[in-house]
Amino acid sequence: MSRMLRRYLEAQADQVEAVLVAHRVPGRITGGTIGPRLIRFILDPAPQTRLSDVRALTEDLAIALKVSSLRIDRTHEGIILEFPNPEPRPVTLTTLWAEVTPLPPTTALLGLTDDGAPLLARLSSPEVAHVLVAGTQGAGKTALLRTLAVSLALSNRPDNLRLLCIDLQGHAFRALAGLPHLVRPPVVTGTEAIEALQSLTRLMEVRLRGQEHQPRTVVLIDEAADLALIEGRVSAESLLVRLAQSGHLAGIHLVVATRRPSAAVLSAVLRANFPLRLVGKLSSAEDARVAAGRGQTEAHLLNGRGDFLAVGGSAAPIRFQIAYIGDQEARQVLTQQQVATLDAATVEPAPVPDWVAPAPAMAYAGGW
């Protein structure tokens, strides 16, 4: 921590306590965390101070702190005050990768939590299975899909995990072209998208009859609204519903991204089959509620540019910053990985037990 940042934190803590005293809502800042883009203060309130009293002072505290946004919430640690870090630092996949490898099978690296822990999602976990990614333009949902895909490719051999990428706009998965994990080249037309989903549905039915689930197949879809516009005898929606309801039993997992998770894009039946939601900045509180599957996440107040919430089960949402990797860097990293795999082809890697417990320094989205 720089000396300037330390002084800034001390001054901000003094400002918070001064505002609280002035409004007869006493409390002390006892600690906190410094994330890549956010700072969190832990407030220890006086016995007579209520959470609602502190929340009523949100605007006054934001003005005193001279910050663009301030979020106040309650955790097991106490009352949390969260505001932007004046010295934000980038979170990159290549930098974070060395801290988490080797990963368990079918596990993706998503980013870094506000507590400084790498955030992982294990798709084979029943608490994950399928993932819904939501966010407006500039929220970072396409970047999150690329990060998820690259991390899966780096940590799984093609004979253990396959990828099917669908993006009718043709931009999201260019870095993956030629990757041996791909079932087929990235799909960019509506006709091919329907055919690919039909083929995958048939594969699911065959696997369910034979009780097979290998290799795991991850379907990455950027902008589900484009699929909803495809006209034909069979709708993409009906195929996605079938895959969402039973695909995980056959080792098939959906990761579907959309700008606006309304009923016109994703039906309530389909949304109900996404246990894990990765929610970026949205345009309204209602969109945030629909995307997260619960209210009061305040996802519409996120900062954008990779600032996300992981929402799953009954646990509190986990705020995290995407581990970013650009197209060109992704191509280089994946090419190097392919060369290394060929060089080590004669060496049989030690299997990773399916029961491996997560390292204490890591967080798992949606549970283990």
Side-chain angles (χ1 to χ4, degrees):
M1 181 192 306
S2 69
R3 182 178 301 177
M4 184 177 297
L5 181 57
R6 182 181 296 277
R7 289 176 179 172
Y8 172 81
L9 294 175
E10 292 172 351
Q12 293 293 69
D14 291 341
Q15 288 286 356
V16 170
E17 293 175 359
V19 170
L20 294 178
V21 168
H23 289 83
R24 299 181 180 178
V25 185
R28 293 181 60 253
I29 300 299
T30 59
T33 58
I34 304 172
R37 291 186 179 268
L38 296 169
I39 291 173
R40 300 176 105 196
F41 278 169
I42 300 173
L43 174 66
D44 182 21
Q48 72 272 25
T49 298
R50 297 175 300 177
L51 175 61
S52 59
D53 296 331
V54 180
R55 279 183 169 161
L57 298 174
T58 300
E59 290 300 319
D60 297 279
L61 287 167
I63 292 172
L65 294 173
K66 297 180 181 178
V67 295
S68 58
S69 63
L70 176 67
R71 190 173 74 93
I72 299 175
D73 204 353
R74 177 179 59 84
T75 71
H76 66 282
E77 300 172 295
I79 297 176
I80 299 297
L81 282 68
E82 193 172 70
F83 54 94
N85 187 340
E87 295 181 1
R89 65 182 189 275
V91 178
T92 64
L93 178 63
T94 50
T95 301
L96 202 54
W97 190 250
E99 300 181 23
V100 301
T101 53
L103 292 178
T106 330
T107 299
L109 172 62
L110 304 179
L112 197 67
T113 71
D114 286 345
D115 294 332
L119 183 65
L120 311 177
R122 191 179 190 190
L123 297 178
S124 55
S125 166
E127 288 80 15
V128 179
H130 306 299
V131 183
L132 175 63
V133 182
T136 59
Q137 182 88 24
K141 62 181 180 58
T142 299
L144 180 52
L145 286 183
R146 183 168 56 243
T147 291
L148 193 148
V150 171
S151 65
L152 285 172
L154 290 176
S155 59
N156 293 272
R157 295 172 60 92
D159 52 348
N160 294 326
L161 182 136
R162 308 302 298 275
L163 299 174
L164 172 61
C165 301
I166 300 176
D167 170 30
L168 302 194
Q169 297 181 23
H171 304 299
F173 305 114
R174 289 178 299 189
L176 305 182
L179 190 69
H181 297 75
L182 293 180
V183 174
R184 61 175 74 191
V187 175
V188 296
T189 69
T191 301
E192 188 182 359
I194 294 297
E195 188 275 323
L197 292 175
Q198 287 177 315
S199 297
L200 202 59
T201 303
R202 290 192 291 269
L203 173 63
M204 177 188 73
E205 293 168 348
V206 170
R207 285 186 174 186
L208 289 175
R209 288 195 294 269
Q211 295 185 338
E212 300 174 7
H213 59 269
Q214 291 294 336
R216 297 272 179 180
T217 303
V218 180
V219 185
L220 299 149
I221 301 174
D222 192 19
E223 197 41 68
D226 293 338
L227 294 183
L229 299 176
I230 301 173
E231 297 181 356
R233 184 173 56 86
V234 180
S235 70
E237 168 82 14
S238 63
L239 296 170
L240 288 175
V241 167
R242 292 175 64 188
L243 290 168
Q245 290 175 331
S246 303
H248 62 289
L249 301 175
I252 298 172
H253 308 279
L254 300 178
V255 181
V256 179
T258 182
R259 287 192 185 94
R260 191 165 185 265
S262 64
V265 177
L266 300 172
S267 68
V269 174
L270 181 54
R271 290 198 307 269
N273 285 280
F274 289 98
L276 178 61
R277 316 287 183 94
L278 304 178
V279 185
K281 183 176 179 59
L282 289 162
S283 57
S284 69
E286 176 59 19
D287 282 352
R289 184 193 65 78
V290 173
R294 65 171 79 169
Q296 299 181 331
T297 62
E298 298 184 342
H300 60 296
L301 301 179
L302 293 171
N303 297 321
R305 300 179 60 83
D307 185 15
F308 269 73
L309 291 176
V311 185
S314 59
I318 300 173
R319 194 165 182 176
F320 71 99
Q321 182 69 29
I322 293 172
Y324 180 80
I325 186 167
D327 269 345
Q328 184 174 353
E329 187 179 16
R331 290 192 191 96
Q332 293 174 347
V333 169
L334 291 171
T335 299
Q336 292 169 0
Q337 188 255 6
Q338 291 177 49
V339 171
T341 299
L342 290 173
D343 290 343
T346 57
V347 180
E348 186 67 25
V352 179
D354 195 52
W355 43 261
V356 169
M362 298 180 190
Y364 277 76
W368 177 253

